[in-house]
Amino acid sequence: MNHSIKATSILLLCLILCLAWHIPAQASPEPVPVLISESPIPHYIYETITVPGVDFLEITSSNDHGHYVGNTMSDDGRLIGFTLIDGVFTTYDVPNSLQTAFYGFNNAGQAAGFYDDQNEISHGIILQDGEIQTWNFPGALNTQIFGIGEEGQILGDVIDANDNVNGFIDSMPFDIPGAATTYVDHINAAGIVVGSYVDSDGKPHGFFGYQDGTFTDIGLPGMPNIEYLFVNAINDAGVIVFRAKIVDDIERSYVLHPNSTPLELRFPGSVGTVLRDIDTEGRVVGYYDLPDGRRQGCVITPVSQKQAEKHSNVFTTDLTKGLNMLSLPLATPKPMNAKAFAGLTGSTMVIALDAENQRFIGWTPDAPDDGFQIEGGQGYIVNVPQQRDVIFVGAEWRNETEAAAAPSATPIAIQQQTWAFIVSGHLGSKQKYDGYHITVTNLRTHDVMTTQVQDNYFAAATADLSYRSVVQVGDTMQVIVTDSNGNIASDAFTFEVTPASVAEAFLSVTLDSIGTPKHSELLQNYPNPFNPETWIPYRLSEDSNVSITIYNATGNVVQTLSLGFQSAGFYQDRGRAAYWDGKNASGEKVASGLYFYQLTTKSFQQTRRLIVVK
C-alpha cells in the first residue's frame, strides 16, 4: 500500500467493466516504477485503542464506520480473532484450530482471515453476521485471506507444499510475471489492488494491480537496500500503508500519499509500530508494542499542522504492581472515560472522588457503560496486576488547575496494603432497578460503602488516602438492596473477599431474587415494647392472601388484621408493614402485657411475641 495513482489510469478504470485479474506472462509489460514528487508532509495525531483486561490487541483492519477487527490471545496462548464494534469486543476461535486470525474488513461488516488446523494447513474464513464460514481457493493446499473488498471480493495468498506463495483475487490467480513470490493484500473501491512481490533476484517490490491486467511498481525513493516489504492497504484517495525493513534496521511502517515520499508513522514512545489499514478519511490503524510487553491498538488520524503540533506532547510513566494514584497528564484528542483509562493503564478498576457528594465512585470492566469522564486536575486510583508502562499523547492543559496536576503519576510504595477496593456487580433480573440503593458493609471493620444502581449495575467504592488497608482476604461483605423510596428490596447477601479479588482490588458479585425473598418470614415488630402503636414487618416468598392475628397471653383472639391479597416481596418499612393501633376488635385499648402475633398465608404460618406498655 504505498503509492499514487495516475489520473489517466483512473479514467481508464471507469471504462473497463469485466476483465480477468490473471496477468498473462506473455502480455504483461515490464514493471515501471512510478515517479514521486515532493509535496507537503501530512500531519497526524495518535490515539490508543484498548480493551480493559486485554494485554494483546492487534488491530489489523477497520471500516469507515469506525469498527475494527484484529487478533488477540486466548487463555491458552493461541492467536484468535476479534471484532470491536461500537465498543463491544467479541472474540472468534475456530474449534480445534492452532490459530484464528482476521486481516480484512469491509463496510458491510464482513471480516476475512484464515485459521490453521491441527496439521498446520491454512484455511480461509469469512465472518458474516457473527458466523464463520470457510472459503478456500480452488485446489490450493493453504489459503490465507488478507483482504475483502466492498463488493465482497476476496484477496490473499495460496501456499503450496513447497512453501511457494502466489496471490489470488476471488477464484482467479494473481501473479506478477517472473516473480518468485506474489502477495496480494487489499483492493479499494476503484478496484485497484495492492500487494508486494519478490523478483527473481530476491528483491522486494510493492505494486498496483489494475483491472486491465497491468500493474506498476511502487517507487520508494530514499529507501535503498530493502530486506522485505509488505504493502497492506490502499484507500480510495490512493494513500498507501506499507511495512518495510531496510538491511540492518528494524521493521517500520509508512504511509505514502500521492505525489509524495514515504512518511514513517510510529506511535510515540513505543518499542515498535505496525500499521495495517487505512480508511477513506485517511485514518490509519494498527498496533504498537510497549516496553512492558503489552500490545495495544492505535488509530493515527490526519489533521492540520496546528492540531498535530497541539497534540504532539508525550508523557510516559511506569506504574508499580498494585494500587497507584494517577492523574491525566495531557488532554487527549478525544475525551477519556474510565473504560479507556483502564485500558490504557492496564488497570483492573478505576476509582474517582466525587467531590460534590464527598464519596468515592468506581468503575470495573463488567460495567455496561464507559463510566465517568477522566478530567485534568483530578487524581484517580488504578490497580495494575503487573508493572505497567503507560504512554500519554495529547495537548498541554490550558486550565491552571488541570495543568497543576498534569505531571502527577505517583505509584504508591505500600503495595502490601489494599487501601482501595470496589464491590461491583449486577442485579440478576430482566426488571430494571435503576435508582435502587446498594449498601455494602464490611462485617469485620463495619465500614460502609453506598452507591446507586444504573442499568442494573453498581460499583460501591472505598479508599483510605493514608494508604491503610480497607479490606483483607477472608472479610465478609454484606450487601443490602433498597428501592428508590428506601424500602428493603432484598435479603442480605454475603460474599467473602478472596485472594483473587484482593489482587484485582474489586469483588464482582451477582444479586439475584431482588424484590422476592427466598423464604417467607415474620419479623419483630417495632417499636417493642410500644404504646400506643406498632408496625409488624414480614416477608412473602409467594403471592398470597395475608392476615395477622393478635392473641393475648391466654390464647384468645384480640384483633385480626386482614391484609388481603399481596404479592411476594418485602413488607418491612412503615409504608408497607402491617400497622396495629393497640386496640381490640371492639376498638378499645388493650391492657398492658404480653401478646402474640401470628402471620398466616396459604402455605406459611409463624408466631412472635410483643409487649404493650402503659
Side-chain angles (χ1 to χ4, degrees):
M1 319 168 184
N2 39 301
H3 203 44
S4 57
I5 302 160
K6 296 180 179 179
T8 54
S9 299
I10 296 176
L11 292 174
L12 180 61
L13 289 174
C14 297
L15 301 175
I16 298 172
L17 295 178
C18 299
L19 294 177
W21 278 109
H22 177 62
I23 302 176
Q26 65 273 21
S28 60
E30 289 297 317
V32 179
V34 177
L35 298 178
I36 300 175
S37 62
E38 293 290 338
S39 67
I41 297 175
H43 302 276
Y44 291 89
I45 56 174
Y46 296 78
E47 298 173 85
T48 299
I49 301 172
T50 63
V51 174
V54 177
D55 290 339
F56 185 95
L57 195 74
E58 287 185 350
I59 292 181
T60 58
S61 190
S62 65
N63 62 21
D64 295 331
H65 306 305
H67 303 157
Y68 308 99
V69 300
N71 307 310
T72 186
M73 285 290 180
S74 64
D75 293 338
D76 59 1
R78 293 177 302 109
L79 199 69
I80 59 175
F82 73 81
T83 60
L84 184 57
I85 299 174
D86 295 330
V88 178
F89 180 73
T90 307
T91 58
Y92 295 88
D93 184 10
V94 173
N96 301 315
S97 65
L98 298 178
Q99 69 168 7
T100 302
F102 291 146
Y103 291 99
F105 199 31
N106 64 16
N107 288 333
Q110 295 174 304
F114 60 90
Y115 75 92
D116 290 344
D117 64 22
Q118 292 292 322
N119 296 317
E120 299 184 355
I121 302 298
S122 298
H123 305 269
I125 53 174
I126 305 295
L127 174 70
Q128 184 167 1
D129 299 327
E131 298 292 330
I132 289 180
Q133 298 179 346
T134 301
W135 189 100
N136 287 318
F137 188 82
L141 176 62
N142 294 275
T143 299
Q144 296 184 349
I145 301 175
F146 288 100
I148 184 164
E150 295 306 326
E151 302 299 325
Q153 310 98 312
I154 299 171
L155 304 87
D157 307 325
V158 295
I159 307 172
D160 64 19
N162 296 317
D163 292 332
N164 296 312
V165 182
N166 300 93
F168 69 84
I169 300 176
D170 290 329
S171 59
M172 296 294 294
F174 187 101
D175 302 319
I176 300 298
T181 300
T182 301
Y183 302 98
V184 177
D185 276 79
H186 196 266
I187 186 170
N188 69 7
I192 299 175
V193 175
V194 293
S196 55
Y197 70 94
V198 179
D199 65 22
S200 57
D201 295 325
K203 182 179 179 180
H205 305 260
F207 70 83
F208 290 118
Y210 304 107
Q211 291 189 14
D212 62 355
T214 63
F215 72 95
T216 55
D217 261 19
I218 298 173
L220 301 175
M223 296 186 67
N225 302 320
I226 296 177
E227 184 175 328
Y228 64 77
L229 166 70
F230 295 104
V231 182
N232 292 124
I234 180 172
N235 69 3
D236 297 345
V239 184
I240 292 169
V241 175
F242 71 95
R243 297 174 289 135
K245 181 181 182 301
I246 296 175
V247 175
D248 297 327
D249 193 15
I250 63 172
E251 179 185 295
R252 301 178 187 272
S253 290
Y254 305 83
V255 293
L256 184 61
H257 287 251
N259 301 314
S260 186
T261 56
L263 173 66
E264 181 185 4
L265 296 181
R266 183 170 183 172
F267 201 94
S270 67
V271 175
T273 301
V274 174
L275 303 180
R276 299 282 319 196
D277 201 4
I278 184 169
D279 67 13
T280 57
E281 300 299 322
R283 290 182 291 261
V284 182
V285 297
Y287 51 90
Y288 67 93
D289 292 332
L290 287 158
D292 61 21
R294 288 184 296 154
R295 178 166 289 180
Q296 295 184 321
C298 64
V299 56
I300 304 175
T301 304
V303 295
S304 67
Q305 181 177 353
K306 182 178 179 180
Q307 282 292 101
E309 291 175 352
K310 176 182 176 181
H311 289 92
S312 64
N313 300 278
V314 181
F315 185 93
T316 61
T317 188
D318 64 297
L319 304 178
T320 59
K321 179 180 178 179
L323 292 160
N324 295 259
M325 181 75 81
L326 183 68
S327 67
L328 186 61
L330 296 170
T332 52
K334 294 180 182 177
M336 182 167 287
N337 51 49
K339 181 179 181 179
F341 199 60
L344 184 66
T345 58
S347 177
T348 61
M349 60 76 165
V350 183
I351 292 178
L353 174 64
D354 178 359
E356 181 178 350
N357 297 300
Q358 285 298 295
R359 66 185 183 94
F360 290 102
I361 55 175
W363 181 92
T364 57
D366 55 349
D369 56 25
D370 295 340
F372 45 83
Q373 291 295 303
I374 304 297
E375 301 173 342
Q378 303 294 324
Y380 299 92
I381 301 169
V382 297
N383 179 76
V384 294
Q386 301 293 336
Q387 180 270 334
R388 296 298 193 205
D389 296 304
V390 185
I391 302 171
F392 296 94
V393 181
E396 294 181 349
W397 291 109
R398 298 292 182 89
N399 180 285
E400 291 184 2
T401 302
E402 294 169 332
S408 175
T410 309
I412 301 304
I414 309 175
Q415 296 303 332
Q416 296 85 351
Q417 303 294 325
T418 307
W419 52 270
F421 197 73
I422 297 175
V423 176
S424 69
H426 294 268
L427 278 61
S429 172
K430 293 182 179 179
Q431 181 177 336
K432 288 294 184 181
Y433 295 104
D434 289 1
Y436 277 42
H437 297 269
I438 303 293
T439 301
V440 180
T441 305
N442 185 327
L443 297 184
R444 176 181 63 87
T445 65
H446 303 293
D447 290 338
V448 176
M449 299 177 275
T450 61
T451 190
Q452 279 193 324
V453 176
Q454 184 174 353
D455 293 332
N456 280 15
Y457 165 83
F458 67 92
T462 186
D464 186 320
L465 298 184
S466 298
Y467 313 132
R468 293 172 299 202
S469 176
V470 296
V471 71
Q472 64 186 33
V473 173
D475 281 357
T476 299
M477 311 300 281
Q478 181 188 75
V479 182
I480 294 178
V481 183
T482 55
D483 65 22
S484 55
N485 296 317
N487 301 313
I488 296 294
S490 76
D491 290 309
F493 298 89
T494 56
F495 302 96
E496 183 177 338
V497 176
T498 65
S501 58
V502 167
E504 294 182 335
F506 80 94
L507 174 65
S508 180
V509 302
T510 300
L511 308 183
D512 293 316
S513 302
I514 303 302
T516 304
K518 297 178 180 179
H519 308 285
S520 293
E521 184 178 5
L522 178 63
L523 305 176
Q524 187 63 54
N525 67 302
Y526 60 89
N528 187 53
F530 73 93
N531 180 30
E533 58 187 4
T534 191
W535 283 263
I536 301 173
Y538 56 94
R539 299 176 177 181
L540 299 178
S541 62
E542 61 179 349
D543 301 347
S544 178
N545 285 306
V546 180
S547 65
I548 293 178
T549 305
I550 314 295
Y551 298 90
N552 61 20
T554 61
N556 296 318
V557 174
V558 173
Q559 179 66 281
T560 297
L561 306 176
S562 297
L563 304 177
F565 184 82
Q566 295 189 335
S567 300
F570 296 85
Y571 296 83
Q572 297 179 219
D573 306 278
R574 290 195 176 191
R576 305 193 77 196
Y579 170 76
W580 183 40
D581 58 7
K583 298 178 181 179
N584 60 23
S586 300
E588 301 168 331
K589 291 286 187 181
V590 300
S592 59
L594 176 66
Y595 291 82
F596 297 90
Y597 60 103
Q598 183 178 78
L599 172 71
T600 301
T601 72
K602 64 181 180 182
S603 60
F604 177 80
Q605 194 174 72
Q606 184 178 357
T607 304
R608 302 184 72 109
R609 298 185 299 175
L610 59 77
I611 297 175
V612 178
V613 293
K614 294 296 186 183

